[in-house]
Amino acid sequence: MYEQISHSLLNQILDDLKPEIRSQDLRHFYTRLGANFYAIHNLFHHLYGRRDDFQAQMLKLVETLARQYIQRPDALKMLDIERENDHNWFLSQQWVGMALYSAGFADNLAGVADKTPYFQELGVNLVHIMPILECPTGKSDGGYAVSNFRQIDDRVGTLEDLQRVSSEFRKRDILLTLDVVLNHTSNEHQWAKRAIAGEQKYQDYYYMFDNREIPDMFEQSMPEIFPETAPGNFTWNETLQKWVMTVFNDYQWDLNYSNPTVFIEMLDVILFWINQGADVVRLDAVAFIWKKMGTICQNEREAHLLLQLMKDCCQVTAPGALFIAEAIVAPVEITKYFGEDAIIAKECEIAYNATLMALLWDALATRNCRLLYQGLKSLPDKLERATWLNYVRCHDDIGLGFDDNDVRQVDYEPNAHRRFLVDFYTGQFKDSIASGVPFMRNDKTGDARIAGSLASLVGLETAVKTGDQKAIDIALNKIILMHSMIFSFGGIPLLYYGDEIATFNDYSYLDQPDKANDSRWIHRPKIDWLRAESRNKQGTVEHGVFSALKKMIAIRKETSAFADFNNRQLVDTTNPHVFSFIRYDHNRPSERVLVICNFSEQPQRIEMAKLSAAGFGIYGQVYDLYSGKRPTQFDNQLVIQPCLFYWLSEF
Ligand code: OTU
């Protein structure tokens, strides 16, 4: 795109660049800047064009990009070029992720580096290390209340440790994912401290008000994120004598992105960690970064423009790095975080598939797939060159963020249905052996979310305690079934640490005052490595899960139909307990896999004729990639064991 105004501005900015920048070899940088400048200028102007200092801010932005480019290690610059030449690299089925807390997984970063062989053993080659930056003790929100964006927390390790992790990973082709908490800082961050000390510059980094007038107006339309522990969206600061916007906990101050300095600071932070070797950056709470009175202050158009701008800027300095959007919002809103267009309005390459996650838990509780089908049918197509992060559990709660229309469509009443699911997973519903706990019950809205480890939510904890072998087997199948879905659906599967060895709830958080009121800590375990050894011992639950996951991962990597190129087609088997879809190789559509999942605790059957109608198995025999055998058939019907699955292929 060539446009005079932006081009002459670019010329001027290049002239104004500091001499130490101009003297560098910036060939690739200039090419990328030229290619992206029209978009960058446009977006920056849209957001900040009315300011007198617009041009100066624009120069500062370009200088930031150049400075970080100069600091980017050569090896990473080469990787950028490789990835530019193979821009679909992350859509391949070879990627399998795991998210972990370094302290819970292996004491600290050095421990994570030492444990690298464990990832290889399982087949994991993308590791999301949960927040590692400095946080106040106690008021840390599990690392999401950062007090220094450039300093690794002492308890986690040092920059050298991270470099060791990064080089161990790089040697083994494991991608490193790090967090950048965009929406807020800790109230103990330097910026907050200087704001409290009275510096106007830093007060302008946040949203602050002298009285309740504006906060009250905001509150009329803003929901509460942590209603039990942090009601309201503003906190009174005694020293400042002001109300500070605090959407999450009262010690997490929302950053004000209507100030371009904030944008540039945070972009600089992103580029800093990308230069430390992060292949992927998880952008936390992206839905919240723009506040507009009279709205829920989530998913605002400007939030999207900010993300597009961040993407375009990273494209200039470090085009090999990817963004993950953490936007746990309504299904129709989530896909928007990929951007509107892969070329001219791109945002994040990857987004959490919170919709699929919640729908899977629904199918498991109801033992039918009606809402799963309905919800996925209404999920808008995602952008090309973008992919889902498919997960079963993560460090957060399970929010039941279905679209109410979808819920009604399959004849449930939305509120009653959500109440049922919370009751089911917290073991209140009759016959349920799930042992989850509620998270953030909101008495005003009747809303609640669910916390608990995967193994405990599927009933394994209870089954093991009561020694009920049949229930143990069903629960193990459920863990395997849920993973079979995320491995085959299309997108990058993201395991949650501990789930691969069926880790139960950890109740120790209840004895720790700074954690006791946040039930998400029930599923942020400390790995018991002695217990993990049992993964090598046949007959143990650890072995049952670990070996199944390992096998599925190996098969996934060899099955090109599992790559993510919008190559999925839902199949209606007419059996409501069974969910089915076809995946096909986008280059060779005849190479297909038919996925069939039984979400009920009874064996299910489907007519072979239904498969033929879907165009499957007409010409040859079918066999199951997972077991390597022909699937069980009886009376012209395919039989699927309770809570198990097939990955059928033709030969
Ligand atoms: C994210 O969470 C993090 O994953 C949480 O661990 C943090 O507490 C939170 O941000 C604040 O930093 O913002 O877009 O329901 O799903 O708060 C979604 C709770 C988020 C989380 C939600 C989420």
Side-chain angles (χ1 to χ4, degrees), residues 33 40-41 49 83 101 107 152 158 188 220 232 287 313 359 378 446 482-483 520-521 609 638 648:
L33 183 65
I40 292 175
H41 175 230
R83 289 178 182 168
Y101 273 106
D107 295 331
I152 295 179
T158 62
E188 293 186 32
Q220 282 177 10
C313 289
L359 290 168
S378 331
M482 294 291 256
H483 283 97
R520 290 176 297 176
W521 287 101
L638 189 78
L648 297 182

Side-chain angles (χ1 to χ4, degrees), residues 11-191:
N11 285 340
Q12 207 174 319
I13 285 177
L14 296 181
D15 281 345
D16 290 347
L17 282 181
K18 302 221 164 70
E20 72 265 23
I21 293 178
R22 289 168 61 183
S23 64
Q24 304 275 337
D25 172 17
L26 299 177
R27 242 172 347 124
H28 289 292
F29 175 79
Y30 287 139
T31 311
R32 292 179 190 135
L33 183 65
N36 287 282
F37 192 75
Y38 173 74
I40 292 175
H41 175 230
N42 223 353
L43 288 162
F44 202 69
H45 190 266
H46 191 102
L47 289 157
Y48 307 115
R50 274 157 308 171
R51 295 172 59 105
D52 296 339
D53 63 349
F54 172 73
Q55 204 139 321
Q57 294 287 356
M58 193 72 225
L59 172 63
K60 222 171 83 188
L61 179 69
V62 174
E63 270 174 3
T64 304
L65 299 181
R67 209 166 275 124
Q68 290 290 2
Y69 179 79
I70 291 165
Q71 275 159 25
R72 189 156 175 78
D74 286 342
L76 297 182
K77 285 182 180 162
M78 273 163 65
L79 203 61
D80 286 334
I81 292 169
E82 267 173 47
R83 289 178 182 168
E84 275 180 327
N85 292 335
D86 177 21
H87 55 257
N88 282 338
W89 64 276
F90 60 97
L91 303 179
S92 152
Q93 75 284 358
Q94 70 158 305
W95 301 112
V96 175
M98 178 184 276
L100 53 90
Y101 273 106
S102 48
F105 182 73
D107 295 331
N108 51 32
L109 281 175
V112 175
D114 294 341
K115 286 266 181 296
T116 315
Y118 184 73
F119 302 125
Q120 280 189 297
E121 183 187 338
L122 187 56
V124 162
N125 52 13
L126 178 154
V127 177
H128 169 209
I129 304 181
M130 305 278 299
I132 54 173
L133 302 184
E134 197 181 277
C135 274
T137 312
K139 297 185 169 187
S140 71
D141 189 21
Y144 288 99
V146 178
S147 51
N148 187 338
F149 284 118
R150 288 169 206 263
Q151 184 69 41
I152 295 179
D153 200 290
D154 286 348
R155 291 159 289 190
V156 175
T158 62
L159 198 54
E160 289 68 52
D161 293 333
L162 183 72
Q163 272 150 8
R164 192 156 76 81
V165 170
S166 160
S167 78
E168 287 295 324
F169 281 12
R170 188 104 30 227
K171 270 189 259 168
R172 297 170 164 87
D173 284 328
I174 297 176
L175 302 177
L176 173 65
T177 303
L178 296 178
D179 278 85
V180 173
V181 186
L182 278 185
N183 180 66
H184 42 259
T185 74
S186 155
N187 61 345
E188 293 186 32
H189 191 284
Q190 269 305 317
W191 301 336

